[in-house]
Structure formats: C-alpha cells, structure tokens
Amino acid sequence: MQEVMMSEAEDQRQQRAWLRRIDPGSRAMVIAPVMLVLVVSAMLPWAGDAAGWEVLTGQADPALKIGLLPWLFAVNSTVVGLGVGALALITRRWLFAFVAGMAGLVVAFEGVIAIWSRQTSGQHGPAFGLIIAAVCMVVLAVQWIKVIWSRD
C-alpha cells in the first residue's frame, strides 16, 4: 500500500516537472539562426561608424552622441535576446521561455525607440546594424510567444 502511494507521488512529481518544460520544435530552427544574426548585427554599424559592440561597451566616438536609448537596447538585446534565449533553449524550461518572450517584446519596443532616437537626434541616423538588431528582437519575441502558447 505504501509503495503504491509513493509511486503515485512520484508520478505526480514527474508530471509537474514535465508541465514546466517546453519543446520549441521547429521554432528552435528559427530562433537559433536569428540569435546568430543578432550577434552578427553587433559587428555592423549602428550609428555612423560605431558598431553595435562599441555602442554596447561605450567605446563609440563621443562626437556621434549615441545617447542612452541605443545603449540600453544594446544591453537588453544582449541579455534577453542572447542570454535568456539561450538559457530557454538549453534548459527547455517554460519560465525562461516566458521571460524571453515577454522581455523580448519590451526589448523589441526599445529597438524601435532606439531607431527613432537616432532619426531625430540631428546626428547620424540609424545604420543598418541597429535596424537588423531591432528586427531580430521582434522575430525572437514572436517566436518565443508562439512557443509559450503552444505548451499543453
């Protein structure tokens, strides 16, 4: 009798653990390459001649007057788009996928605002690296939200 009760408790624990897991399936084949493109976009110009990694590390030419918004987008796209996204793919935990999706929406919005801030700065406008990074964050956010909603 006691063995049956322990077996049922173990089954319930396994079911709860399974419910907390995700299976990105074919969406992982979209997410991973987009994450790679996000890394490559950091090597491309974001404002003037300043590459994304220079904006991220604060090494861009001060004459470009990069501002806070592109830097904030660079930091958050790295943390959320690459860090949390990789964590969700590796661990396959629903919580990390949820954070990647919801925070990805916020970071995608930051990317649009960063592009807008460069357009209205009176300095060099947004370069193609910044635009590619913003598009990558939109695609990642949408893919993670689809993964979240597809969980049984």
Side-chain angles (χ1 to χ4, degrees), residues 7-19:
S7 175
E8 289 176 10
E10 181 65 28
D11 286 342
Q12 289 176 351
R13 246 183 273 126
Q14 287 178 353
Q15 288 174 355
R16 280 190 301 247
W18 181 252
L19 288 175

Side-chain angles (χ1 to χ4, degrees), residues 42-133:
M43 306 301 163
L44 300 172
W46 278 30
D49 292 334
W53 69 269
E54 292 174 323
V55 173
L56 175 65
T57 59
Q59 296 180 2
D61 184 11
L64 291 174
K65 297 181 182 177
I66 298 295
L68 177 66
L69 293 173
W71 175 79
L72 187 64
F73 173 66
V75 169
N76 289 337
S77 65
T78 302
V79 170
V80 173
L82 300 177
V84 178
L87 198 58
L89 280 177
I90 292 168
T91 63
R92 295 184 183 260
R93 292 290 181 184
W94 185 84
L95 178 65
F96 294 131
F98 181 79
V99 171
M102 296 300 114
L105 283 174
V106 173
V107 175
F109 181 72
E110 286 177 1
V112 172
I113 297 298
I115 291 169
W116 172 79
S117 74
R118 291 306 306 160
Q119 288 175 334
T120 59
S121 68
Q123 302 293 320
H124 295 282
F128 57 94
L130 178 59
I131 296 168
I132 291 172

